[in-house]
């Protein structure tokens, strides 16, 4: 029993510490007026994992400068389905609903706020804030053609990155957007990725310069449906046969 428990613990540990990949987290809200963001994780994030966030434009090979680099560190394991909210992104002290969000020191960093036009925010792993190794997701209230590239990031708009202006009727420079699709009932967390990546499942500003600073994003966790396994026909037949044999033995013993 101890060996089995140890093996189970090792398996769980290896899963929790598995490397993050593109689409394992995705943004669920964008608020340029409040200077806030939120994201959902579709996998368990190991304790002490560092994810970088930057609104500097990616050029296809590197980040430019002049805007912000921030880092978020998970203080404990963050379970799949958790929504993490960032607030006060432009303040000296940043806030995160889970883990710790802080400034990353990079030469040339400034302009800490989230712009209400032509702004792209990337989430990524890296050897440092300015040296991305694995892009996880991105969101823009402009376009990926002009306001920050997806070239050589491994990300694709509508798959694991969101271009908010792609939604019909959206403002050309939306201040605010939030995912308003399903958060429960799907069979696994992977199924939610397509839902979040589809901008038609988002509430996106239809006018420029909306007053959205007071809006609080939905941080309800995503959950998967609990499926009760149905015994296979062969298993049921074997069970019935076993019960029949048991009944026959007891009958003979009573004679």
């Amino acid at each position: 029993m101890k060996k089995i428990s140890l093996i189970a613990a090792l398996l769980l540990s290896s899963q929790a510490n598995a490397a993050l990949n593109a689409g394992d987290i995705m943004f669920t809200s964008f608020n340029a007026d409040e200077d806030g963001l939120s994201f959902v994780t579709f996998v368990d994030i190991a304790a002490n994992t560092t994810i970088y966030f930057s609104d500097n434009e990616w050029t296809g090979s590197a980040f430019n400068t002049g805007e912000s680099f921030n880092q978020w560190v998970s203080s404990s394991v963050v379970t799949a389905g958790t929504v993490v909210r960032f607030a006060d992104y432009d303040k000296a002290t940043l806030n995160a609903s889970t883990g710790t969000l802080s400034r990353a020191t990079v030469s040339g960093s400034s302009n800490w706020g989230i712009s209400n036009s032509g702004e792209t925010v990337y989430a990524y792993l890296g050897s440092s804030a300015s040296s991305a190794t694995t892009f996880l997701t991105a969101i823009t209230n402009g376009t990926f053609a002009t306001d920050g590239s997806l070239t050589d990031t491994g990300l694709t708009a509508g798959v694991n990155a969101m271009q908010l202006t792609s939604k019909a009727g959206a403002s050309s420079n939306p201040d605010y957007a939030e995912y308003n699709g399903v958060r429960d009932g799907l069979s696994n967390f992977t199924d939610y990725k397509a839902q979040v990546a589809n901008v038609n499942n988002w509430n996106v500003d239809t006018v420029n310069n909306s007053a959205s600073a007071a809006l609080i994003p939905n941080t309800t966790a995503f959950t998967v449906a609990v499926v009760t396994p149905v015994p296979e026909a062969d298993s049921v037949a074997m069970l019935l046969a076993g019960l029949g044999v048991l009944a026959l033995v007891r009958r003979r013993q009573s004679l």
Side-chain angles (χ1 to χ4, degrees):
M1 180 62 72
K2 289 183 178 179
K3 289 183 177 179
I4 294 175
S5 299
L6 177 60
I7 292 171
L10 290 173
L11 287 173
L12 290 173
S13 176
S14 65
Q15 290 173 354
N17 288 281
L20 297 174
N21 298 299
D24 281 348
I25 72 169
M26 295 178 71
F27 289 108
T28 54
S29 72
F30 176 101
N31 193 334
D33 293 341
E34 183 228 4
D35 288 284
L37 300 161
S38 63
F39 70 87
V40 59
T41 178
F42 297 119
V43 297
D44 290 349
I45 299 176
N48 302 314
T49 295
T50 298
I51 300 177
Y52 295 104
F53 294 83
S54 182
D55 57 333
N56 286 286
E57 287 79 17
W58 175 256
T59 66
S61 59
F63 287 109
N64 62 14
T65 58
E67 297 184 82
S68 67
F69 288 98
N70 298 306
Q71 60 186 22
W72 174 79
V73 180
S74 57
S75 53
S76 59
V77 173
V78 180
T79 57
T82 300
V83 175
V84 179
R85 179 192 175 196
F86 294 163
D88 300 325
Y89 205 75
D90 59 334
K91 302 294 191 298
T93 301
L94 293 75
N95 289 310
S97 59
T98 300
T100 302
L101 181 66
S102 60
R103 299 268 184 253
T105 302
V106 177
S107 178
S109 295
S110 60
N111 189 16
W112 306 110
I114 298 173
S115 176
N116 60 6
S117 64
E119 185 76 298
T120 299
V121 181
Y122 301 89
Y124 54 96
L125 305 178
S127 55
S128 69
S130 58
S131 299
T133 54
T134 302
F135 283 87
L136 303 177
T137 191
I139 190 169
T140 184
N141 66 349
T143 72
F144 289 121
T146 60
D147 302 305
S149 175
L150 294 182
T151 300
D152 289 336
T153 63
L155 300 176
T156 303
V159 176
N160 41 36
M162 285 72 71
Q163 181 171 294
L164 301 173
T165 52
S166 295
K167 183 174 182 178
S171 160
S172 59
N173 293 295
D175 292 17
Y176 177 81
E178 181 176 6
Y179 171 73
N180 61 0
V182 296
R183 294 177 184 241
D184 60 62
L186 299 188
S187 59
N188 59 70
F189 287 112
T190 300
D191 293 339
Y192 287 109
K193 293 183 180 183
Q195 298 294 318
V196 176
N198 185 349
V199 292
N200 291 318
N201 294 328
W202 283 63
N203 176 23
V204 182
D205 273 347
T206 56
V207 296
N208 294 344
N209 301 315
S210 66
S212 306
L215 294 179
I216 305 298
N218 183 358
T219 56
T220 301
F222 288 61
T223 59
V224 294
V226 177
V227 179
T228 302
V230 178
E232 296 182 2
D234 289 347
S235 299
V236 174
M238 291 178 65
L239 175 61
L240 293 176
L243 291 174
V245 171
L246 181 60
L248 180 60
V249 170
R250 287 184 175 178
R251 182 179 179 184
R252 287 182 176 179
Q253 289 176 341
S254 64
L255 294 178

